[in-house]
Amino acid sequence: MKKISRLQVTAWVLSLLPAAMTAAFYSRLPAEIPMQWDLAGHMNYETRWHLWIVAGMAPLFAVLFYFLPRFDPKSRNYSKFYDVYIGFQIMIDLFLTAMCGICIAEALRPGTVDVPTVVCLLVSLLVMCLGNIMPKFRMNWYCGIKTPWTLSSETVWTKTHRAAGRMLCAAGSFVPNEIAKFVLVLAPMAAATIIPTVLSWRWYRAEQR
């Protein structure tokens, strides 16, 4: 973790994209821009400077992702999944860039983007990617499903994250564009969080016996 890799530099550069986009188009944006949409596609407007809040999240995450492992009691484990750790950061950067792009596009040319459908597609893709990389996480205090049982047993940690990864991939496979279909994404996502947590408790108890 001491040496800064090219992948880390790539993540830092990508974290600046939302801010760069906002700066490039800020003078052309109206005083109020669409920032929130409900499931029916109705939008709420906010003052345009609020876009900087979304744009600033990516650099903030970049700083946190870089320094948090240094404070983790299990910091040595990060070398075992370093590329995955940085890859997850890149996923977040790209997602926030897309969110900024949607807000800017709808502010300049309303109706250009079918926002509910696009956002649901992006969330589905993000969840599937997370499900794919989650089994590669090694025991740590910041990434993954952190329960007293997963943090107490390497075996329970591994089983739990394999189960969660499969369930998240299944949750992300839904491609919603209506309220009913949106629920089909949220329900599997909730299940992919709750069920592995319960399983981690059961696996830990079985291991202790």
Side-chain angles (χ1 to χ4, degrees):
M1 297 294 290
K2 293 182 179 179
K3 184 179 180 180
I4 299 177
S5 67
R6 292 182 180 179
L7 194 62
Q8 177 66 80
V9 174
T10 300
W12 285 341
V13 171
L14 290 176
S15 72
L16 299 177
L17 282 180
M21 290 175 55
T22 301
F25 291 96
Y26 192 76
S27 62
R28 297 169 54 188
L29 296 176
E32 293 189 344
I33 63 174
M35 291 285 292
Q36 300 179 24
W37 287 263
D38 60 22
L39 297 178
H42 302 132
M43 62 186 69
N44 293 324
Y45 287 79
E46 297 182 12
T47 308
R48 66 179 181 176
W49 70 264
H50 287 183
L51 187 61
W52 285 109
I53 298 176
V54 180
M57 291 173 65
L60 176 61
F61 287 150
V63 173
L64 289 175
F65 270 96
Y66 183 71
F67 284 104
L68 283 178
R70 300 170 184 266
F71 301 99
D72 194 329
K74 299 184 181 297
S75 58
R76 293 183 179 180
N77 282 347
Y78 284 82
S79 61
K80 300 176 183 178
F81 67 104
Y82 179 73
D83 288 348
V84 172
Y85 181 73
I86 302 301
F88 179 67
Q89 180 183 334
I90 291 175
M91 287 164 45
I92 299 297
D93 292 338
L94 294 176
F95 182 80
L96 292 174
T97 300
M99 294 299 101
C100 276
I102 289 172
C103 292
I104 292 172
E106 285 298 293
L108 296 177
R109 294 185 178 181
T112 302
V113 182
D114 183 355
V115 178
T117 298
V118 172
V119 170
C120 286
L121 284 169
L122 290 174
V123 171
S124 295
L125 182 60
L126 184 65
V127 170
M128 290 181 69
C129 290
L130 179 59
N132 183 58
I133 67 175
M134 182 167 281
K136 301 175 184 178
F137 288 158
R138 295 298 178 263
M139 189 184 292
N140 69 92
W141 286 74
Y142 296 119
C143 296
I145 299 176
K146 299 168 292 297
T147 69
W149 314 291
T150 57
L151 292 174
S152 299
S153 169
E154 191 78 44
T155 301
V156 174
W157 174 280
T158 301
K159 288 183 177 180
T160 300
H161 284 77
R162 285 176 179 172
R166 295 188 187 101
M167 296 185 70
L168 284 173
C169 283
S173 63
F174 295 99
V175 182
N177 56 8
E178 299 172 0
I179 295 177
K181 292 183 179 180
F182 190 80
V183 172
L184 291 178
V185 171
L186 293 182
M189 286 175 61
T193 303
I194 296 172
I195 293 176
T197 299
V198 175
L199 288 175
S200 70
W201 170 70
R202 296 191 61 182
W203 284 328
Y204 181 76
R205 289 188 62 189
E207 184 179 69
Q208 293 305 302
R209 294 196 193 100

